[in-house]
């Protein structure tokens, strides 16, 4: 008997669409299966004002294939110079859905991020007041802290103090990669949620480093030990309202990944829903996939789930995904999980 499951059309609560030729090439990959996506603002230069977010949204809409059921939800990049009134106006005008906090230097294109968290406190107060959520890249940048410990240390040093100082602020701890993150989110009450990526449910740090270095598995936050991957799987497949899908699909042209100083980012937009069906089936939790991918995210953001649906069907033969997406900015390698996947999305 053919096995299939139909869920509300999923949303992606953390996505990099880039700009220019890369945007043109990869936007259709997300528009195919997802209804909405929170669009990361880490362009060069970053999207810091409401006007820039509105202009970027236009460029994205122009890159979405005609007739696609996809809506970009825009964000502004928080800097120490951000004007709270500009954010509030952009929020009131329906231009932005969230604001993104990058600790300066934490990841790709984050040089304009925040160094002194006290400087952004008035902006965070304003966001709490108007109900504008904060998406957080949760890693410290202190060179003395080991890269595998940066998320756990960020929770203690930065995130918990911010949340205690501004208790009304709704915070999304993005792409959590540790059991510490899972535990912190579980203890954090209704104003705290977390996104989990597809690739962090599949790889641990051995996949990156054993048997030769695998640049296409390198992302930030970097994948951790197996015990952390297990904790993420358990959280994602639990159906709990605090955990939802944010793919962090982050394309870089192959030449920039396969380099002596390779860029961080896994590109999963193309096959995420098939991979998630595999993961949730493996954990006996296919009935929780809809909560993770289609229900918990909109509920956290105070939005309705999508009316449209997506069907995942288990095939007899492995699904053949494209190895690479050809773009005007060069080929982009699609994340390969290292095992056959039988679930097709339509
Ligand atoms: C992202 C990118 O390439 O923009 N890279 C990544 O490894 N996830 C930035 C980010 O989300 O940290
Ligand atoms: Zn990201």
């Amino acid at each position: 008997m053919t096995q299939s499951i139909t869920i509300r059309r999923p949303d992606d609560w953390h996505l990099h669409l880039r700009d220019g030729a890369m945007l043109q090439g990869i936007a259709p990959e997300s528009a195919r299966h997802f209804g909405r996506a929170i669009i990361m603002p880490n362009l060069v230069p970053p999207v810091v004002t409401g006007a820039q977010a509105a202009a970027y949204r236009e460029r994205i809409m122009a890159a979405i294939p005609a007739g696609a059921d996809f809506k970009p939800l825009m964000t502004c990049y928080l800097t120490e110079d951000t004007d709270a009134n500009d954010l509030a106006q952009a929020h009131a005008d329906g231009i932005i859905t969230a604001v993104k906090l990058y600790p300066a230097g934490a990841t790709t294109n984050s040089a304009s991020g925040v160094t002194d968290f006290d400087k952004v406190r008035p902006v965070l107060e304003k966001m709490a007041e108007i109900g504008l959520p904060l998406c957080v890249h949760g890693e410290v940048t202190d060179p003395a802290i080991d890269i595998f410990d940066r998320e756990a240390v960020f929770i203690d040093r930065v995130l918990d103090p911010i949340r205690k100082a501004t208790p009304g602020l709704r915070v999304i701890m993005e792409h959590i990669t540790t059991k510490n993150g899972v535990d912190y989110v579980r203890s954090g009450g209704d104003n705290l949620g977390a996104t989990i990526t597809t690739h962090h449910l599949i790889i641990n740090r051995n996949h990156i480093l054993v048997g030769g270095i695998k640049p296409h598995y390198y992302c930030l936050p970097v994948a951790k030990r197996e015990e952390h991957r297990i904790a993420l799987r358990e959280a994602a497949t639990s159906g709990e309202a605090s955990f939802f899908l944010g793919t962090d699909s982050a394309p870089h042209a192959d030449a920039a990944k396969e380099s002596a100083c390779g860029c961080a980012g896994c590109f999963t937009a193309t096959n995420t829903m098939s991979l998630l069906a595999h993961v949730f089936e493996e954990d006996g939790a296919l009935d929780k996939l809809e909560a993770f991918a289609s229900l918990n995210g909109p509920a956290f953001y105070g939005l309705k789930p999508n009316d449209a649906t997506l069907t995942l069907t288990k095939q007899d033969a492995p699904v053949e995904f494209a190895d690479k997406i050809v773009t005007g900015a060069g080929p982009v390698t699609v994340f390969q999980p290292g095992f056959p996947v039988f679930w097709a999305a339509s």
Side-chain angles (χ1 to χ4, degrees):
M1 199 185 74
T2 310
Q3 206 182 344
S4 81
I5 166 176
T6 296
I7 61 173
R8 300 272 195 146
R9 188 166 168 87
D11 301 305
D12 184 348
W13 300 97
H14 180 134
L15 175 64
H16 299 269
L17 282 183
R18 313 301 192 202
D19 213 343
M22 181 64 88
L23 167 63
Q24 298 299 323
I26 55 102
E29 299 302 300
S30 288
R32 192 173 301 128
H33 297 152
F34 292 96
R36 293 165 290 195
I38 286 274
I39 309 301
M40 288 297 121
N42 64 331
L43 304 182
V44 189
V47 177
V48 294
T49 65
Q52 288 167 349
Y56 184 30
R57 183 168 66 182
E58 294 306 310
R59 301 199 294 281
I60 293 170
M61 292 312 293
I64 301 298
D69 176 12
F70 180 82
K71 182 176 177 197
L73 304 176
M74 307 309 292
T75 61
C76 278
Y77 185 122
L78 184 64
T79 74
E80 291 175 10
D81 300 321
T82 294
D83 174 1
N85 293 325
D86 178 64
L87 291 186
Q89 191 62 51
H91 178 59
D93 292 345
I95 295 167
I96 61 167
T97 302
V99 173
K100 174 70 189 242
L101 168 64
Y102 289 102
T107 186
T108 310
N109 304 337
S110 62
S112 319
V114 177
T115 304
D116 180 353
F117 293 91
D118 285 334
K119 289 206 176 126
V120 297
R121 194 140 286 159
V123 178
L124 300 182
E125 297 285 348
K126 182 77 179 178
M127 289 169 58
E129 185 190 314
I130 63 175
L132 178 58
L134 182 71
C135 297
V136 178
H137 183 107
E139 289 189 288
V140 291
T141 54
D142 180 347
I145 305 296
D146 188 278
I147 191 168
F148 293 100
D149 298 333
R150 288 180 175 198
E151 182 172 295
V153 173
F154 182 87
I155 293 171
D156 294 339
R157 277 195 195 169
V158 183
L159 187 55
D160 200 54
I162 285 180
R163 294 190 54 250
K164 288 208 168 103
T166 321
L169 185 65
R170 289 180 76 66
V171 174
I172 301 101
M173 196 180 167
E174 297 189 282
H175 42 47
I176 53 170
T177 58
T178 57
K179 183 171 184 311
N180 313 62
V182 170
D183 292 345
Y184 184 69
V185 170
R186 280 203 169 120
S187 69
D190 290 348
N191 277 345
L192 182 62
T195 57
I196 302 180
T197 77
T198 310
H199 50 281
H200 287 115
L201 297 174
I202 293 173
I203 60 167
N204 63 31
R205 64 196 205 176
N206 280 7
H207 292 87
I208 310 171
L209 296 170
V210 172
I213 195 160
K214 312 292 187 316
H216 295 291
Y217 287 160
Y218 175 60
C219 64
L220 288 170
V222 71
K224 310 292 193 297
R225 288 174 182 274
E226 177 65 358
E227 69 196 54
H228 295 293
R229 187 185 71 95
I230 301 284
L232 297 173
R233 290 272 287 233
E234 192 268 322
T237 59
S238 70
E240 284 166 54
S242 319
F243 301 106
F244 39 94
L245 174 63
T247 65
D248 193 18
S249 183
H252 294 275
D254 282 353
K257 294 281 296 173
E258 299 165 7
S259 145
C261 183
C263 292
C266 296
F267 181 71
T268 55
T270 305
N271 52 3
T272 273
M273 291 314 301
S274 294
L275 298 178
L276 288 177
H278 178 101
V279 162
F280 277 65
E281 182 193 26
E282 200 166 73
D283 289 3
L286 269 178
D287 60 331
K288 300 290 193 323
L289 179 58
E290 184 175 45
F292 179 67
S294 316
L295 303 179
N296 295 348
F300 188 88
Y301 276 91
L303 300 169
K304 287 197 187 132
N306 296 309
D307 286 327
T309 58
L310 182 79
T311 296
L312 294 145
T313 307
K314 195 168 182 185
Q315 318 278 326
D316 292 335
V319 180
E320 290 188 18
F321 302 107
D323 285 342
K324 296 176 192 299
I325 303 299
V326 179
T327 82
V332 174
T333 291
V334 176
F335 178 85
Q336 299 296 335
F339 48 76
V341 174
F342 294 85
W343 289 89
S346 61

